[in-house]
Amino acid sequence: MHLIRAGAVVLDGKLCRPGWVQIAGWQIFTCGSGNPPRPPDQDFPDCIVAPGFIDMHVHGGGGASYVDAENIGGAADFHLSHGTTTTMASLVTTSPDKLLAGVRALADATRDGTLAGIHLEGPWLSTARCGAHDPVHMRDPDPAEIDELLAAADGAIRMVTLAPERPGSGEAIRRLREAGVVVAVGHTDATYELTRQAIALGATVGTHLFNAMPPLNHREPGAALALLEHPDVTVELIADGVHMHPAMALAAMRAAGADRVALITDAIAAAGCADGSYQLGGVAIDVESGVARVHATTTIAGSTATMDQLFRTAAAQAGLEAAVRMTSATPARALGLQQVGELRAGYDANLVVLNRDLRVTAVMKRGHWR
């Protein structure tokens, strides 16, 4: 048994001062508020212990990308150092053979515990809202391709983003839901009504709300409002100050509530690295002053953010307890992940230790300090 005490611990979504967590192997054995039942093995008197962050949409970091099989561990380790103990690896639009190879590599990394699963962001997206995705490889959902990818993943695909206006998307949503895959609406030009139809079929996530979809319009509210207003939909936000104005991010947090907002990085390999030239799939990316854009355009191409950065921003805007939910319990629930996202008995011992400035001082994943 390993007993940790801290000046504050987030338990059951509430900040307890002080608090403690007892670890047995890779799980939390018990935890509580106040002083612990015995002297602690480790004491963090001036720190906050919170659940490890969960990033449900990330393409890479630390110079490594999830599209490169040999770099998967490097990208996951980079984000782990910033408090992300549960990572969903996102793949961008590419050719059928490259997508299949990417899924197979990430499925292996999911089986060995490096990742929590795969997110397919494409290729069944809108060319009108392609963002940093290569429109050459965008295509309509094909049942045979979906079945081949699901078979190759062997349960590792947890989420798929698609555009519901694509022919065949309705059947794709049904097939993916039958396979236990979370369906997200994103990179879409769909109307408000069509988006509501996709939700009725089983879509439960809005991929980076407001980005790569029509802006809110009082006569044509579009996908954004349909996703934001539906009580069964979790909306992703890239609250980095680049993808959306801070006031719009706060408005979305207030409208949906912390139990329906999942903060995501959408980070690419450039996260944690110097400005320069990078790749996102087959698309050339330029990073200048920390902002990633498609080469020679103004189109934003993912981010260079980390979850601890987004956590600090959200805590300042919406409060610490809300920031904890938006970076842990809410994404866990949206993805159907078990035994992660909270500090409670029987859950994985995934936690992050933050100092008074909410900077990461230590990270534990499944009972092991990083």
Side-chain angles (χ1 to χ4, degrees):
M1 296 285 186
H2 188 81
L3 185 60
I4 299 168
R5 179 197 176 277
V9 179
V10 182
L11 301 174
D12 197 25
K14 302 295 182 183
L15 191 64
C16 302
R17 296 182 183 273
W20 52 276
V21 181
Q22 192 168 32
I23 311 298
W26 53 269
Q27 285 186 316
I28 296 172
F29 180 72
T30 186
C31 48
S33 60
N35 288 315
R38 65 171 177 83
D41 299 297
Q42 283 182 287
D43 198 358
F44 299 98
D46 298 320
C47 294
I48 298 169
V49 172
F53 304 138
I54 297 173
D55 194 351
M56 61 190 285
H57 187 155
V58 54
H59 298 277
S65 174
Y66 289 125
V67 301
D68 301 320
E70 66 275 13
N71 292 330
I72 293 170
D77 283 345
F78 167 77
H79 286 289
L80 179 62
S81 72
H82 288 272
T84 300
T85 54
T86 302
T87 297
M88 284 277 291
S90 301
L91 291 177
V92 293
T93 298
T94 189
S95 62
D97 57 333
K98 289 184 178 179
L99 185 62
L100 191 61
V103 164
R104 286 175 172 147
L106 292 177
D108 289 339
T110 300
R111 281 187 285 270
D112 70 22
T114 302
L115 304 171
I118 303 168
H119 164 218
L120 298 185
E121 189 183 17
W124 311 304
L125 308 177
S126 166
T127 55
R129 301 287 174 177
C130 61
H133 290 251
D134 187 349
V136 171
H137 292 299
M138 287 182 174
R139 48 198 183 267
D140 296 335
D142 175 67
E145 182 179 25
I146 291 173
D147 286 345
E148 186 176 25
L149 289 167
L150 290 173
D154 191 24
I157 295 176
R158 283 195 171 271
M159 186 167 74
V160 169
T161 296
L162 53 74
E165 67 270 30
R166 279 277 186 183
S169 65
E171 182 56 37
I173 293 172
R174 283 188 287 267
R175 176 69 188 94
L176 291 166
R177 292 301 300 127
E178 287 173 358
V181 176
V182 174
V183 176
V185 173
H187 284 276
T188 178
D189 216 24
T191 62
Y192 173 84
E193 291 77 15
L194 186 56
T195 305
R196 285 184 61 89
Q197 291 177 25
I199 295 169
L201 287 171
T204 56
V205 170
T207 293
H208 43 53
L209 187 73
F210 301 127
N211 296 116
M213 60 182 65
L216 288 171
N217 180 285
H218 62 292
R219 290 195 179 93
E220 297 177 3
L225 183 61
L227 295 164
L228 189 60
E229 71 178 4
H230 200 286
D232 297 331
V233 172
T234 299
V235 293
E236 298 179 346
L237 293 184
I238 314 173
D240 61 351
V242 174
H243 283 76
M244 60 175 61
H245 192 284
M248 183 62 87
L250 181 57
M253 293 174 194
R254 287 173 172 169
D259 291 330
R260 287 187 49 227
V261 171
L263 298 182
I264 62 163
T265 63
D266 197 15
I268 64 172
C273 299
D275 289 354
S277 299
Y278 295 87
Q279 289 286 128
L280 181 59
V283 177
I285 306 297
D286 296 328
V287 177
E288 184 176 345
S289 299
V291 178
R293 301 184 188 277
V294 175
H295 177 66
T297 75
T298 60
T299 301
I300 297 174
S303 88
T304 59
T306 53
M307 285 296 286
D308 56 333
Q309 172 192 335
L310 302 183
F311 181 89
R312 288 190 292 273
T313 299
Q317 288 186 298
L320 190 140
E321 291 175 354
V324 169
R325 292 202 298 277
M326 291 187 288
T327 55
S328 55
T330 299
R333 189 183 313 112
L335 294 170
L337 297 174
Q338 302 297 312
Q339 296 180 303
V340 294
E342 296 182 67
L343 300 180
R344 64 169 61 205
Y347 276 48
D348 288 4
N350 294 344
L351 57 86
V352 58
V353 182
L354 305 163
N355 65 17
R356 289 181 176 180
D357 297 324
L358 302 183
R359 303 278 174 178
V360 174
T361 63
V363 182
M364 176 181 284
K365 180 176 179 178
R366 288 177 61 84
H368 294 283
W369 291 109
R370 187 194 180 281

